[in-house]
């Protein structure tokens, strides 16, 4: 630089940085997707719309006629979510978003960890992560 702060390049073809090196090829090939998420996505795709049209149950009782999801304690919600991960079953949950709007979702939990559940959401048709403290209730879907 000059005393005035100007950049001085002595040659017209001079570079200020060294040329970039080409990337090295990956010897093992392309990355492999997480097998757990992949198998969960396949299960969810095969389930299709069945979960959204199946009558729901909570324990031995049918769901209330008003269509409201029964409320569950946080311990019961966590235990039901963990059991669904192991069995691969879909669940019906009540959920309150960050703005306080309540909704009902049909999900197939993939993993439960760190206060969050990662699940295939049949309602949104994609894999999403939900904070467990925003789940108001959970029920298993009725068997045919």
């Amino acid at each position: 630089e000059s005393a005035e702060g100007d950049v001085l390049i002595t040659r017209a073809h001079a570079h200020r940085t060294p040329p970039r090196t080409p990337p090295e090829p990956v010897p093992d090939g392309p990355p492999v997707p997480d097998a757990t998420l992949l198998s969960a996505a396949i299960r969810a795709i095969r389930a299709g719309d069945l979960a959204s049209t199946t009558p729901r149950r909570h324990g031995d009782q049918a769901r209330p006629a008003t269509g409201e999801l029964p409320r569950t304690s946080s311990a019961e919600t966590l235990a039901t979510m963990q059991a669904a991960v192991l069995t691969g079953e879909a669940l019906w949950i009540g959920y309150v978003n960050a703005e306080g709007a309540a909704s009902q979702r049909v999900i197939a939990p993939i993993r439960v960890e760190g206060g969050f559940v990662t699940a295939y959401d049949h309602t949104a048709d994609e894999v999403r992560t939900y904070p467990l403290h925003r789940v108001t209730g959970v029920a298993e879907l009725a068997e045919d």
Side-chain angles (χ1 to χ4, degrees):
E1 294 184 6
S2 69
E4 291 83 33
D6 295 331
V7 177
L8 301 176
I9 300 177
T10 57
R11 296 172 293 182
H13 63 280
H15 297 285
R16 294 178 52 176
T17 60
R20 294 178 57 180
T21 58
E24 296 181 24
V26 179
D28 298 334
V32 179
D34 182 13
T36 307
L37 288 175
L38 185 60
S39 65
I42 291 171
R43 280 196 318 266
I45 290 170
R46 289 181 180 158
D49 293 329
L50 177 64
S52 64
T53 59
T54 304
R56 293 146 176 101
R57 67 174 170 82
H58 180 71
D60 293 332
Q61 301 174 347
R63 77 175 182 164
T66 61
E68 294 181 15
L69 184 69
R71 297 188 57 90
T72 55
S73 68
S74 57
E76 186 178 356
T77 298
L78 182 61
T80 305
M81 292 278 189
Q82 290 172 336
V85 169
L86 295 175
T87 61
E89 294 180 355
L91 298 174
W92 178 43
I93 66 168
Y95 180 75
V96 177
N97 66 12
E99 288 79 35
S103 64
Q104 298 177 6
R105 304 233 168 236
V106 176
I107 64 169
I110 300 166
R111 82 177 72 134
V112 179
E113 61 186 7
F116 293 89
V117 59
T118 302
Y120 177 80
D121 186 338
H122 292 274
T123 309
D125 199 28
E126 65 184 4
V127 175
R128 290 189 173 175
T129 301
Y130 297 101
L132 286 171
H133 70 274
R134 292 198 180 147
V135 176
T136 60
V138 62
E140 296 174 347
L141 295 176
E143 298 292 325
D144 284 342

mmCIF file of all heavy atoms in Angstrom, residues 35-66:
data_model
loop_
_atom_site.group_PDB
_atom_site.id
_atom_site.type_symbol
_atom_site.label_atom_id
_atom_site.label_comp_id
_atom_site.label_asym_id
_atom_site.label_seq_id
_atom_site.Cartn_x
_atom_site.Cartn_y
_atom_site.Cartn_z
ATOM 1 N N ALA A 35 -29.027 -44.112 8.287
ATOM 2 C CA ALA A 35 -29.898 -45.263 8.064
ATOM 3 C C ALA A 35 -31.180 -45.160 8.873
ATOM 4 O O ALA A 35 -32.246 -45.592 8.418
ATOM 5 C CB ALA A 35 -29.151 -46.554 8.398
ATOM 6 N N THR A 36 -31.120 -44.595 10.075
ATOM 7 C CA THR A 36 -32.302 -44.464 10.910
ATOM 8 C C THR A 36 -33.321 -43.541 10.264
ATOM 9 O O THR A 36 -34.506 -43.859 10.184
ATOM 10 C CB THR A 36 -31.909 -43.912 12.298
ATOM 11 O OG1 THR A 36 -30.885 -44.723 12.840
ATOM 12 C CG2 THR A 36 -33.090 -43.877 13.221
ATOM 13 N N LEU A 37 -32.870 -42.380 9.789
ATOM 14 C CA LEU A 37 -33.782 -41.445 9.142
ATOM 15 C C LEU A 37 -34.319 -42.003 7.837
ATOM 16 O O LEU A 37 -35.489 -41.815 7.504
ATOM 17 C CB LEU A 37 -33.082 -40.105 8.896
ATOM 18 C CG LEU A 37 -32.825 -39.242 10.115
ATOM 19 C CD1 LEU A 37 -32.013 -38.014 9.747
ATOM 20 C CD2 LEU A 37 -34.125 -38.829 10.762
ATOM 21 N N LEU A 38 -33.461 -42.706 7.100
ATOM 22 C CA LEU A 38 -33.885 -43.276 5.831
ATOM 23 C C LEU A 38 -34.963 -44.337 6.037
ATOM 24 O O LEU A 38 -35.985 -44.336 5.358
ATOM 25 C CB LEU A 38 -32.689 -43.863 5.089
ATOM 26 C CG LEU A 38 -32.950 -44.395 3.695
ATOM 27 C CD1 LEU A 38 -33.478 -43.289 2.796
ATOM 28 C CD2 LEU A 38 -31.681 -44.982 3.112
ATOM 29 N N SER A 39 -34.757 -45.235 7.001
ATOM 30 C CA SER A 39 -35.762 -46.265 7.245
ATOM 31 C C SER A 39 -37.050 -45.663 7.779
ATOM 32 O O SER A 39 -38.140 -46.125 7.447
ATOM 33 C CB SER A 39 -35.225 -47.334 8.204
ATOM 34 O OG SER A 39 -34.982 -46.764 9.464
ATOM 35 N N ALA A 40 -36.946 -44.603 8.581
ATOM 36 C CA ALA A 40 -38.148 -43.939 9.086
ATOM 37 C C ALA A 40 -38.906 -43.269 7.947
ATOM 38 O O ALA A 40 -40.138 -43.290 7.910
ATOM 39 C CB ALA A 40 -37.781 -42.917 10.145
ATOM 40 N N ALA A 41 -38.176 -42.676 7.019
ATOM 41 C CA ALA A 41 -38.829 -42.040 5.876
ATOM 42 C C ALA A 41 -39.539 -43.075 5.013
ATOM 43 O O ALA A 41 -40.657 -42.844 4.533
ATOM 44 C CB ALA A 41 -37.809 -41.263 5.061
ATOM 45 N N ILE A 42 -38.932 -44.234 4.837
ATOM 46 C CA ILE A 42 -39.551 -45.299 4.044
ATOM 47 C C ILE A 42 -40.813 -45.804 4.732
ATOM 48 O O ILE A 42 -41.851 -45.983 4.098
ATOM 49 C CB ILE A 42 -38.555 -46.446 3.791
ATOM 50 C CG1 ILE A 42 -37.461 -45.960 2.840
ATOM 51 C CG2 ILE A 42 -39.264 -47.674 3.239
ATOM 52 C CD1 ILE A 42 -36.315 -46.915 2.676
ATOM 53 N N ARG A 43 -40.747 -46.000 6.074
ATOM 54 C CA ARG A 43 -41.936 -46.422 6.820
ATOM 55 C C ARG A 43 -43.043 -45.386 6.698
ATOM 56 O O ARG A 43 -44.213 -45.724 6.530
ATOM 57 C CB ARG A 43 -41.594 -46.622 8.300
ATOM 58 C CG ARG A 43 -40.923 -47.934 8.612
ATOM 59 C CD ARG A 43 -40.971 -48.240 10.101
ATOM 60 N NE ARG A 43 -40.713 -47.106 10.955
ATOM 61 C CZ ARG A 43 -39.536 -46.763 11.467
ATOM 62 N NH1 ARG A 43 -38.480 -47.483 11.192
ATOM 63 N NH2 ARG A 43 -39.418 -45.723 12.261
ATOM 64 N N ALA A 44 -42.673 -44.118 6.775
ATOM 65 C CA ALA A 44 -43.669 -43.050 6.713
ATOM 66 C C ALA A 44 -44.304 -42.973 5.332
ATOM 67 O O ALA A 44 -45.512 -42.753 5.211
ATOM 68 C CB ALA A 44 -43.026 -41.725 7.075
ATOM 69 N N ILE A 45 -43.512 -43.154 4.293
ATOM 70 C CA ILE A 45 -44.054 -43.117 2.935
ATOM 71 C C ILE A 45 -45.016 -44.281 2.724
ATOM 72 O O ILE A 45 -46.096 -44.105 2.147
ATOM 73 C CB ILE A 45 -42.907 -43.140 1.900
ATOM 74 C CG1 ILE A 45 -42.160 -41.804 1.942
ATOM 75 C CG2 ILE A 45 -43.435 -43.433 0.511
ATOM 76 C CD1 ILE A 45 -40.878 -41.790 1.148
ATOM 77 N N ARG A 46 -44.652 -45.444 3.216
ATOM 78 C CA ARG A 46 -45.524 -46.611 3.060
ATOM 79 C C ARG A 46 -46.810 -46.464 3.865
ATOM 80 O O ARG A 46 -47.837 -47.014 3.494
ATOM 81 C CB ARG A 46 -44.775 -47.876 3.476
ATOM 82 C CG ARG A 46 -43.701 -48.261 2.489
ATOM 83 C CD ARG A 46 -42.983 -49.516 2.894
ATOM 84 N NE ARG A 46 -41.954 -49.846 1.917
ATOM 85 C CZ ARG A 46 -40.921 -50.601 2.158
ATOM 86 N NH1 ARG A 46 -40.759 -51.147 3.340
ATOM 87 N NH2 ARG A 46 -40.029 -50.841 1.217
ATOM 88 N N ALA A 47 -46.733 -45.738 4.981
ATOM 89 C CA ALA A 47 -47.939 -45.533 5.787
ATOM 90 C C ALA A 47 -48.949 -44.680 5.050
ATOM 91 O O ALA A 47 -50.158 -44.877 5.195
ATOM 92 C CB ALA A 47 -47.567 -44.882 7.112
ATOM 93 N N GLY A 48 -48.438 -43.695 4.286
ATOM 94 C CA GLY A 48 -49.316 -42.859 3.479
ATOM 95 C C GLY A 48 -50.354 -42.118 4.288
ATOM 96 O O GLY A 48 -50.074 -41.627 5.364
ATOM 97 N N ASP A 49 -51.544 -42.059 3.769
ATOM 98 C CA ASP A 49 -52.636 -41.347 4.423
ATOM 99 C C ASP A 49 -53.369 -42.200 5.448
ATOM 100 O O ASP A 49 -54.321 -41.723 6.071
ATOM 101 C CB ASP A 49 -53.645 -40.855 3.381
ATOM 102 C CG ASP A 49 -53.060 -39.786 2.493
ATOM 103 O OD1 ASP A 49 -52.195 -39.040 2.992
ATOM 104 O OD2 ASP A 49 -53.464 -39.705 1.323
ATOM 105 N N LEU A 50 -52.941 -43.422 5.645
ATOM 106 C CA LEU A 50 -53.617 -44.317 6.578
ATOM 107 C C LEU A 50 -53.712 -43.707 7.970
ATOM 108 O O LEU A 50 -54.760 -43.774 8.616
ATOM 109 C CB LEU A 50 -52.884 -45.656 6.638
ATOM 110 C CG LEU A 50 -53.440 -46.681 7.623
ATOM 111 C CD1 LEU A 50 -54.858 -47.074 7.205
ATOM 112 C CD2 LEU A 50 -52.538 -47.888 7.683
ATOM 113 N N ALA A 51 -52.642 -43.082 8.430
ATOM 114 C CA ALA A 51 -52.630 -42.543 9.787
ATOM 115 C C ALA A 51 -53.638 -41.422 9.975
ATOM 116 O O ALA A 51 -54.211 -41.274 11.047
ATOM 117 C CB ALA A 51 -51.231 -42.041 10.128
ATOM 118 N N SER A 52 -53.859 -40.626 8.969
ATOM 119 C CA SER A 52 -54.783 -39.501 9.119
ATOM 120 C C SER A 52 -56.246 -39.924 9.018
ATOM 121 O O SER A 52 -57.131 -39.176 9.414
ATOM 122 C CB SER A 52 -54.475 -38.420 8.090
ATOM 123 O OG SER A 52 -54.684 -38.921 6.796
ATOM 124 N N THR A 53 -56.529 -41.112 8.516
ATOM 125 C CA THR A 53 -57.911 -41.564 8.375
ATOM 126 C C THR A 53 -58.286 -42.649 9.368
ATOM 127 O O THR A 53 -59.437 -43.034 9.447
ATOM 128 C CB THR A 53 -58.152 -42.092 6.949
ATOM 129 O OG1 THR A 53 -57.256 -43.176 6.692
ATOM 130 C CG2 THR A 53 -57.957 -40.993 5.924
ATOM 131 N N THR A 54 -57.318 -43.146 10.154
ATOM 132 C CA THR A 54 -57.568 -44.216 11.109
ATOM 133 C C THR A 54 -58.201 -43.651 12.375
ATOM 134 O O THR A 54 -57.757 -42.630 12.881
ATOM 135 C CB THR A 54 -56.240 -44.916 11.472
ATOM 136 O OG1 THR A 54 -55.633 -45.381 10.280
ATOM 137 C CG2 THR A 54 -56.470 -46.079 12.406
ATOM 138 N N PRO A 55 -59.237 -44.308 12.917
ATOM 139 C CA PRO A 55 -59.786 -43.842 14.196
ATOM 140 C C PRO A 55 -58.722 -43.917 15.285
ATOM 141 O O PRO A 55 -57.858 -44.779 15.275
ATOM 142 C CB PRO A 55 -60.916 -44.829 14.490
ATOM 143 C CG PRO A 55 -61.158 -45.558 13.224
ATOM 144 C CD PRO A 55 -59.928 -45.452 12.396
ATOM 145 N N ARG A 56 -58.797 -43.003 16.235
ATOM 146 C CA ARG A 56 -57.781 -42.921 17.266
ATOM 147 C C ARG A 56 -58.293 -43.494 18.577
ATOM 148 O O ARG A 56 -59.475 -43.486 18.845
ATOM 149 C CB ARG A 56 -57.352 -41.475 17.458
ATOM 150 C CG ARG A 56 -56.639 -40.945 16.243
ATOM 151 C CD ARG A 56 -56.946 -39.485 16.056
ATOM 152 N NE ARG A 56 -56.208 -38.928 14.945
ATOM 153 C CZ ARG A 56 -56.730 -38.712 13.756
ATOM 154 N NH1 ARG A 56 -57.972 -38.999 13.520
ATOM 155 N NH2 ARG A 56 -56.006 -38.202 12.801
ATOM 156 N N ARG A 57 -57.356 -43.921 19.431
ATOM 157 C CA ARG A 57 -57.725 -44.403 20.756
ATOM 158 C C ARG A 57 -56.701 -43.897 21.750
ATOM 159 O O ARG A 57 -55.582 -43.561 21.404
ATOM 160 C CB ARG A 57 -57.780 -45.921 20.795
ATOM 161 C CG ARG A 57 -56.424 -46.588 20.612
ATOM 162 C CD ARG A 57 -56.545 -48.090 20.805
ATOM 163 N NE ARG A 57 -55.326 -48.743 20.404
ATOM 164 C CZ ARG A 57 -54.239 -48.861 21.156
ATOM 165 N NH1 ARG A 57 -54.220 -48.379 22.360
ATOM 166 N NH2 ARG A 57 -53.153 -49.468 20.713
ATOM 167 N N HIS A 58 -57.116 -43.829 22.992
ATOM 168 C CA HIS A 58 -56.217 -43.478 24.094
ATOM 169 C C HIS A 58 -56.445 -44.515 25.166
ATOM 170 O O HIS A 58 -57.488 -44.527 25.826
ATOM 171 C CB HIS A 58 -56.497 -42.072 24.614
ATOM 172 C CG HIS A 58 -55.587 -41.690 25.737
ATOM 173 N ND1 HIS A 58 -54.254 -41.441 25.533
ATOM 174 C CD2 HIS A 58 -55.809 -41.550 27.058
ATOM 175 C CE1 HIS A 58 -53.688 -41.142 26.685
ATOM 176 N NE2 HIS A 58 -54.607 -41.206 27.617
ATOM 177 N N GLY A 59 -55.479 -45.412 25.336
ATOM 178 C CA GLY A 59 -55.675 -46.519 26.275
ATOM 179 C C GLY A 59 -56.783 -47.396 25.749
ATOM 180 O O GLY A 59 -56.793 -47.800 24.605
ATOM 181 N N ASP A 60 -57.778 -47.701 26.613
ATOM 182 C CA ASP A 60 -58.918 -48.506 26.200
ATOM 183 C C ASP A 60 -60.122 -47.648 25.838
ATOM 184 O O ASP A 60 -61.158 -48.153 25.464
ATOM 185 C CB ASP A 60 -59.303 -49.475 27.320
ATOM 186 C CG ASP A 60 -58.213 -50.511 27.545
ATOM 187 O OD1 ASP A 60 -57.487 -50.810 26.576
ATOM 188 O OD2 ASP A 60 -58.083 -51.002 28.673
ATOM 189 N N GLN A 61 -60.005 -46.325 25.967
ATOM 190 C CA GLN A 61 -61.115 -45.442 25.686
ATOM 191 C C GLN A 61 -60.986 -44.860 24.281
ATOM 192 O O GLN A 61 -59.897 -44.587 23.815
ATOM 193 C CB GLN A 61 -61.149 -44.294 26.695
ATOM 194 C CG GLN A 61 -61.288 -44.771 28.120
ATOM 195 C CD GLN A 61 -61.164 -43.611 29.091
ATOM 196 O OE1 GLN A 61 -60.756 -42.530 28.725
ATOM 197 N NE2 GLN A 61 -61.508 -43.878 30.329
ATOM 198 N N ALA A 62 -62.114 -44.651 23.647
ATOM 199 C CA ALA A 62 -62.098 -43.985 22.347
ATOM 200 C C ALA A 62 -61.850 -42.501 22.565
ATOM 201 O O ALA A 62 -62.052 -41.989 23.663
ATOM 202 C CB ALA A 62 -63.428 -44.213 21.629
ATOM 203 N N ARG A 63 -61.449 -41.804 21.518
ATOM 204 C CA ARG A 63 -61.190 -40.376 21.672
ATOM 205 C C ARG A 63 -62.505 -39.656 21.942
ATOM 206 O O ARG A 63 -63.568 -40.097 21.539
ATOM 207 C CB ARG A 63 -60.472 -39.818 20.458
ATOM 208 C CG ARG A 63 -61.339 -39.595 19.266
ATOM 209 C CD ARG A 63 -60.524 -38.938 18.189
ATOM 210 N NE ARG A 63 -61.419 -38.686 17.072
ATOM 211 C CZ ARG A 63 -61.154 -37.892 16.096
ATOM 212 N NH1 ARG A 63 -60.015 -37.276 16.049
ATOM 213 N NH2 ARG A 63 -62.009 -37.717 15.129
ATOM 214 N N PRO A 64 -62.430 -38.508 22.599
ATOM 215 C CA PRO A 64 -63.645 -37.766 22.904
ATOM 216 C C PRO A 64 -64.401 -37.369 21.639
ATOM 217 O O PRO A 64 -63.809 -37.130 20.597
ATOM 218 C CB PRO A 64 -63.120 -36.525 23.637
ATOM 219 C CG PRO A 64 -61.752 -36.889 24.101
ATOM 220 C CD PRO A 64 -61.242 -37.907 23.148
ATOM 221 N N ALA A 65 -65.718 -37.281 21.761
ATOM 222 C CA ALA A 65 -66.548 -36.945 20.608
ATOM 223 C C ALA A 65 -66.269 -35.544 20.092
ATOM 224 O O ALA A 65 -66.500 -35.241 18.937
ATOM 225 C CB ALA A 65 -68.022 -37.080 20.977
ATOM 226 N N THR A 66 -65.758 -34.660 20.945
ATOM 227 C CA THR A 66 -65.475 -33.295 20.529
ATOM 228 C C THR A 66 -64.266 -33.216 19.619
ATOM 229 O O THR A 66 -64.020 -32.183 19.029
ATOM 230 C CB THR A 66 -65.233 -32.401 21.754
ATOM 231 O OG1 THR A 66 -64.102 -32.908 22.472
ATOM 232 C CG2 THR A 66 -66.448 -32.348 22.642
#
